[in-house]
């Protein structure tokens, strides 16, 4: 039963949508709308089962509640997944049908890109709904891409984590392992290489590895071997759940700081990192650059304002580190507590809610 699933948590709504004409099947999770309409990207993925898709969308939507709250954005948390299964999958028709389904929610959920969905895809979805952002303006797919903004936040967060852990935020001469060389991982590697970082990289897509190695001088590491590479930082930039208990136990780094959502497979993994003295920079604090950029189509933040807000990520992270240190808890717990406090303060001040909705 869906209500019994651990990750169902305190979700406000989970909507299952299907369109037989196109073969579209999708799940839209709305976790919390205290701070504003639920916002989070749409993921298109080939899930092994419906249960796997449900767990993914639930965990991602809760993460968006926390991410938007800590980032100070006037949005609640939500997420959607389109199931890329089915022999007669017609991408354009599926995306259009999905847009119609989002429109039917009347603005309770606003979508953007996520893994498997490009800015051009968002444009197709947005042909059927006004509740979308990250839409290419004047056909400019590059400007709509949240990846470089997310990467910028990860880069700044990494320096703050290094400063906290070692007393110096200087990246030159450090070794960083980057897993996943896509929209976030590649621009991150470019910034790190420019600062003189020794890069060790991995991706299941050999072409992406080759491109990153050619552009940045990185060394390629095969699959599972990345967890054995001694390094200053491990930057997960592929899919979530990558740091399970086993990885947390054997990883040979001082810091985990990357762009992927839901990096910790379990709360215990965070506890193990904490016990081993490995500093975990909570993903939803670190990777808020992209959402700050894409939602500027709704918030009307200028480019300067977006950059100013991304530049605040290190301060937010330091606050989380301080809270965790004071309570001697894993940083993930401290970050979630911070997010819940922000939401609770907002709930206690209904007049503010009005301001947030109209922002
Ligand atoms: P992407 O799809 O462009 O790149 C992901 C890369 O990871 C691909 O190159 C893929 O081949 C690789 N990959 C998948 N499984 C792997 C594995 N087991 N080992 C090594 N490589 C693997 O996705 P994008 O946009 O770069 O996002 C990466 C992560 O960051 C995702 O978890 C996403 O949810 C998260 N994120 C992305 C944001 C953005 O602005 N694009 C914003 C916030 C979070």
């Amino acid at each position: 039963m869906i209500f019994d699933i651990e990750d169902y948590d305190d979700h406000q709504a989970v909507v299952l949508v299907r369109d037989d004409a196109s073969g579209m099947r999708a799940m839209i999770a709305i976790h919390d709308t205290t701070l504003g309409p639920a916002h989070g990207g749409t993921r298109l993925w080939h899930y092994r089962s419906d249960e796997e898709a449900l767990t993914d969308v639930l965990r991602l939507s809760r993460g968006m509640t926390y991410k938007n709250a800590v980032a100070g954005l006037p949005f609640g948390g939500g997420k959607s997944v389109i199931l890329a299964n089915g022999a007669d999958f017609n991408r354009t028709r599926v995306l259009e049908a999905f847009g119609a389904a989002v429109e039917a929610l009347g603005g309770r959920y606003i979508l953007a890109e996520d893994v498997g969905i490009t800015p051009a895809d968002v444009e197709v979805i947005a042909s059927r709904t006004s509740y979308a952002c990250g839409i290419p303006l004047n056909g400019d797919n590059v400007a709509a891409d949240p990846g470089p903004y997310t990467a910028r936040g990860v880069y700044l967060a990494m320096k703050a984590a290094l400063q906290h852990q070692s007393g110096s935020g200087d990246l030159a001469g450090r070794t960083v392992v980057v897993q996943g060389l896509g929209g976030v991982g590649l621009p991150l590697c470019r910034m790190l290489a420019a600062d003189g970082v020794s890069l060790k990289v991995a991706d299941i897509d050999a072409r992406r590895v080759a491109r990153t190695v050619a552009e940045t001088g990185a060394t390629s590491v095969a699959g599972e071997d990345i967890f054995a590479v001694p390094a200053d930082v491990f930057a997960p930039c592929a899919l979530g759940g990558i740091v399970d208990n086993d990885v947390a136990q054997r990883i040979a780094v001082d810091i985990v700081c990357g762009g992927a959502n839901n990096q910790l497979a379990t709360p215990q993994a965070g506890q193990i990192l904490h016990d081993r003295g490995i500093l975990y920079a909570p993903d939803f604090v670190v990777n808020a650059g992209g959402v700050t950029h894409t939602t500027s189509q709704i918030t009307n933040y200028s480019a300067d304002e977006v950059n100013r807000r991304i530049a605040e990520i290190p301060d937010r992270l330091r606050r989380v580190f301080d809270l965790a240190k004071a309570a001697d808890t894993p940083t993930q717990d401290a970050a979630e507590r911070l997010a819940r406090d922000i939401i609770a303060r907002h709930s206690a001040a209904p007049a503010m809610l009005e301001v947030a909705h109209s922002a």
Side-chain angles (χ1 to χ4, degrees), residues 43 45 60 64 67 79 113-117 145-151 154 178-187 201-206 208-209 223-224 226-227 236-240 242 258-263 283 286-291 294:
R43 176 168 293 191
W45 196 250
L60 289 164
M64 287 308 301
K67 187 188 304 195
K79 201 86 181 183
E113 295 85 355
D114 191 56
V115 175
I117 292 287
D145 182 4
Y149 294 86
T150 303
V154 176
V178 181
Q179 182 200 40
L181 306 168
V184 177
L186 177 57
V201 299
D203 196 298
I204 48 174
D205 183 336
R208 291 193 168 184
V209 174
E224 275 282 304
I226 53 163
F227 302 124
C237 296
L239 294 185
I242 202 67
N261 285 312
N262 294 338
Q263 290 165 29
D283 44 32
V286 167
N287 68 15
V291 70
T294 46

